[in-house]
Amino acid sequence: MPERVRFRCNNCGNRFETEVLDEDERREARRENRPTNAVHCPECHRTDVRRGWD
Ligand SMILES: [Zn+2]
């Protein structure tokens, strides 16, 4: 099951929640050469984000 994870954008500082694949789904996607979609900021669309709101 995908899990909801909190991220904060390193570019604009926007905080957002998004669903990410869990460990097993990521492994499976890699094995099948499917892209594990990169998390990006909904405001500025940069992928320079980090987990957590601290
Ligand atoms: Zn941003």
Side-chain angles (χ1 to χ4, degrees), residues 8-16 40-49:
R8 202 176 100 159
C9 178
N10 284 326
N11 182 48
C12 71
N14 182 44
R15 293 172 176 191
F16 60 99
H40 67 271
C41 172
E43 290 293 324
C44 66
H45 305 287
R46 295 273 292 262
T47 54
D48 185 19
V49 298

Side-chain angles (χ1 to χ4, degrees), residues 12-28:
C12 71
N14 182 44
R15 293 172 176 191
F16 60 99
E17 260 187 320
T18 191
E19 288 190 346
V20 297
L21 301 177
D22 69 24
E23 199 68 23
D24 286 345
E25 288 168 320
R26 263 199 302 275
R27 202 172 301 133
E28 197 160 310

